[in-house]
Amino acid sequence: MRRTRIPGTERRSARLRARLATTIVLALTAPAFLPGAAEADLERPTATEQWTTRTLAPGVTVRTGVLRHPGTRHAWTVTVQAPARTRWTTNDPDAPLTWAEVATRGWAEDTARELTEAGLRPRVESVRWPRYADTPHGVMGYRVRIGRFATQAEARTAASAVTAAGFHPAVSWTGYDIQEPADRQNVQVAVIDPKTFDGTVEATHDGNVAQRETTSAVARKLNSLVGVNGGFFVLSPGDGVPGTMSGIGAYEGELESMAVGSRSALLLEDGGHRIRVADLTSTLTARAGKATYDIQGVNRVPGTVRDCGRPGSTPSELPWQDVTCRLADDLVRFTDAFQADLPTGPGTQVVLDASGRVVSVGARGGRVPAGGYVLQGIGRAADWLTAHVEPYGRVKVGETVRTTAGRRVVLDADDSLVSAAPTLVRDGRIDIDAAAEGVVDPAYTSFGYAWANVRQPRTLAGIDRRGRLILATVDGRLKGGSEGFTLYEAAAFMKSLGAVQAMNLDGGGSTAMAVNGTLVNQPSDAAGERAVGDTVQVLPADR
């Protein structure tokens, strides 16, 4: 139930008091990450830090702090990379090789011997699997490294010698390794209590799903108290329309993108007064008379599926992070939130008004009419449209969103959701289904290794036992400044904050938190804050 709003004078007074910043020493349990530590040791408290805490409104606080591991000393090193095939090109002998940091023990020993014969001094390091719920335990593989250097320039000089010996080197910072503790991690944590906060928490694409905008720009436009970046989205034109989401997304109750397999989603129901994390699937069906056809996408280029995960997509129907799959037969729905030129090319297009009445049938292209929508089909989907849809006829579209338990999610106008991967905490326990949500692959350790198992900037969302929303960011890729989290560290951190459900949102260069419209973290992109797809915004009632 929504809370009664504070009358104007009381609210102004309350908001004035709430915006006063205070500095409080908080005992935060920080997860330990010790080289060779047993899995049980990974959740032991190691430090108490001083945090700056601001109360922005009744029920909304933001804490900014630094996690440190005293005595940690990192350095630059040279990693010798192994040639590898990706899992989607393994059977293609003409496919280009990729390079992997971790390979077999035999490769590592042979490489170390050859490097020694070339006058270099390599070391072989074992790399263990993080404690994911659905991957092997124990040793993942082995890597070969040379030296520990004070500067990146020294490491690059050593890398030149490795190249001259006939190998493929990369300069690495040891602070990104899970085997050693990070020396510094800059974190920002926002806690929103829906029982006290009289505003709303909403996912938004800022009215146009075919554009990108920075988190802080959206926050300023909406007069947001707190904003963070949201789910995975298309970044490159080769993977679709930049800015469109690559997982399920809904804003103001309207489904604006479909799920890719079953992946984590943050559901903000009743304006964020009911919050949950759940793995979601989506199904859409077009019906013309008695004929039906499954819709495989919303607001994306027909035949192009970022992150895979749709029936019939190749090379995989499973979710594969950062891989673009293809569909030869594809039916896509475009809503009027797609405010860009429609994709063109072979196939058939049907334009419909708000009631589902067919306005036109013809070639692909143009724009979505205000209040209406468009269906585009290629392959057999185009044949179905041609055979069953006529001008002035009707097409009905049914949509269903469900949890993996089969429970239906009904979206109302004050509901929204964002999606990413993977789940981090479930029922109060660390429970990372990394393989099922397509961010790693036990059969191809190079797939997702850096994405999941190396420290990176992260944006995280969770719910504690009191029903409070936790939004957190950690800066990363800042050598000597902040090194980020691995996925397992992210899960342990959220659990340390009291989260009983938690998930990973988009991260890397997308990670951003804005407070009162001002960016408070340090993005890792050299160009500054990245324009993203959707965001999550905490909005005051009187904005």
Side-chain angles (χ1 to χ4, degrees):
M1 178 179 293
R2 293 186 184 276
R3 297 181 58 84
T4 304
R5 294 184 176 181
I6 304 173
T9 302
E10 284 186 19
R11 179 185 297 142
R12 283 193 295 272
S13 176
R15 289 177 60 79
L16 180 61
R17 293 192 304 271
R19 289 181 181 274
L20 296 176
T22 59
T23 301
I24 303 174
V25 177
L26 297 176
L28 179 72
T29 302
F33 305 102
L34 305 178
E39 288 179 353
D41 293 335
L42 291 174
E43 296 170 40
R44 293 187 309 182
T46 61
T48 299
E49 296 288 345
Q50 187 173 24
W51 291 66
T52 297
T53 299
R54 285 189 285 174
T55 300
L56 306 181
V60 181
T61 60
V62 175
R63 294 181 283 174
T64 301
V66 179
L67 309 180
R68 290 188 179 92
H69 296 85
T72 301
R73 295 291 182 269
H74 290 298
W76 293 95
T77 190
V78 176
T79 302
V80 183
Q81 296 185 308
R85 297 278 185 188
T86 60
R87 60 179 177 175
W88 57 92
T89 62
T90 299
N91 297 322
D92 182 359
D94 298 322
L97 288 174
T98 60
W99 297 96
E101 181 172 330
V102 177
T104 65
R105 183 170 188 168
W107 173 86
E109 291 176 346
D110 290 345
T111 299
R113 183 179 62 254
E114 293 179 40
L115 288 166
T116 301
E117 293 171 353
L120 299 169
R121 299 179 63 184
R123 65 184 183 273
V124 175
E125 301 175 346
S126 65
V127 178
R128 299 179 67 83
W129 276 103
R131 196 177 60 180
Y132 298 143
D134 55 0
T135 61
H137 293 179
V139 174
M140 174 191 298
Y142 298 81
R143 64 183 169 211
V144 177
R145 284 182 164 174
I146 296 172
R148 291 177 68 90
F149 306 97
T151 67
Q152 190 175 22
E154 291 176 291
R156 285 174 175 165
T157 299
S160 298
V162 175
T163 301
F167 293 90
H168 192 275
V171 173
S172 307
W173 176 251
T174 62
Y176 297 155
D177 297 343
I178 186 86
Q179 289 77 18
E180 301 181 48
D183 55 4
R184 181 185 177 105
Q185 292 157 316
N186 298 343
V187 294
Q188 300 80 29
V189 180
V191 180
I192 301 93
D193 187 348
K195 297 176 183 178
T196 306
F197 181 49
D198 69 343
T200 61
V201 185
E202 302 173 5
T204 176
H205 211 308
D206 201 26
N208 181 1
V209 300
Q211 72 173 7
R212 296 166 55 204
E213 188 60 89
T214 64
T215 300
S216 62
V218 176
R220 286 190 295 272
K221 178 180 178 179
L222 299 179
N223 193 28
S224 166
L225 297 174
V226 180
V228 297
N229 63 289
F232 299 139
F233 63 96
V234 175
L235 190 60
S236 168
D239 301 315
V241 177
T244 55
M245 307 312 297
S246 61
I248 191 169
Y251 320 100
E252 297 181 343
E254 296 295 326
L255 192 68
E256 303 292 0
S257 57
M258 290 185 71
V260 288
S262 175
R263 283 186 140 187
S264 301
L266 175 67
L267 284 84
L268 302 165
E269 299 171 296
D270 190 23
H273 287 260
R274 292 188 299 123
I275 309 162
R276 53 180 166 149
V277 171
D279 291 353
L280 298 182
T281 62
S282 57
T283 304
L284 272 70
T285 303
R287 177 180 295 275
K290 295 183 179 180
T292 61
Y293 202 96
D294 287 343
I295 295 172
Q296 295 292 358
V298 176
N299 294 324
R300 65 162 174 78
V301 176
T304 302
V305 188
R306 185 61 172 169
D307 294 338
C308 305
R310 295 304 306 172
S313 63
T314 58
S316 179
E317 295 185 347
L318 301 174
W320 279 4
Q321 183 61 29
D322 289 344
V323 177
T324 298
C325 282
R326 306 296 173 184
L327 273 168
D329 307 301
D330 195 13
L331 185 59
V332 175
R333 182 188 189 191
F334 292 87
T335 71
D336 64 355
F338 187 91
Q339 297 175 21
D341 292 338
L342 290 163
T344 59
T348 301
Q349 174 172 293
V350 175
V351 179
L352 304 107
D353 64 19
S355 70
R357 185 177 296 278
V358 178
V359 175
S360 65
V361 179
R364 294 167 55 199
R367 307 275 291 205
V368 180
Y373 63 98
V374 168
L375 295 174
Q376 286 193 351
I378 62 173
R380 287 197 294 264
D383 297 338
W384 183 86
L385 289 174
T386 301
H388 297 285
V389 178
E390 298 179 351
Y392 310 111
R394 288 189 177 277
V395 178
K396 295 182 179 180
V397 174
E399 62 182 52
T400 303
V401 176
R402 294 188 186 277
T403 67
T404 50
R407 184 171 300 175
R408 186 165 183 177
V409 176
V410 179
L411 297 172
D412 295 323
D414 54 359
D415 299 336
S416 57
L417 65 90
V418 296
S419 175
T423 298
L424 300 175
V425 179
R426 195 189 314 267
D427 298 328
R429 297 178 294 105
I430 294 176
D431 189 1
I432 307 171
D433 51 352
E437 295 201 49
V439 298
V440 299
D441 186 342
Y444 298 88
T445 54
S446 61
F447 180 81
Y449 174 79
W451 195 96
N453 306 329
V454 172
R455 292 190 176 104
Q456 303 282 2
R458 310 276 180 190
T459 303
L460 316 165
I463 304 116
D464 69 9
R465 294 189 185 280
R466 294 167 56 183
R468 298 181 301 179
L469 174 64
I470 303 170
L471 299 173
T473 62
V474 59
D475 292 340
R477 302 176 188 163
L478 307 176
K479 290 85 174 176
S482 181
E483 292 160 331
F485 288 153
T486 66
L487 280 184
Y488 194 91
E489 287 176 330
F493 179 70
M494 291 300 283
K495 182 182 176 184
S496 79
L497 297 177
V500 294
Q501 310 289 335
M503 63 173 291
N504 183 64
L505 294 173
D506 194 15
S510 298
T511 287
M513 179 181 286
V515 175
N516 291 326
T518 300
L519 190 68
V520 295
N521 73 306
Q522 186 174 351
S524 63
D525 278 5
E529 186 181 0
R530 176 184 293 176
V532 298
D534 59 11
T535 66
V536 177
Q537 302 287 344
V538 181
L539 306 174
D542 59 350
R543 63 188 176 96

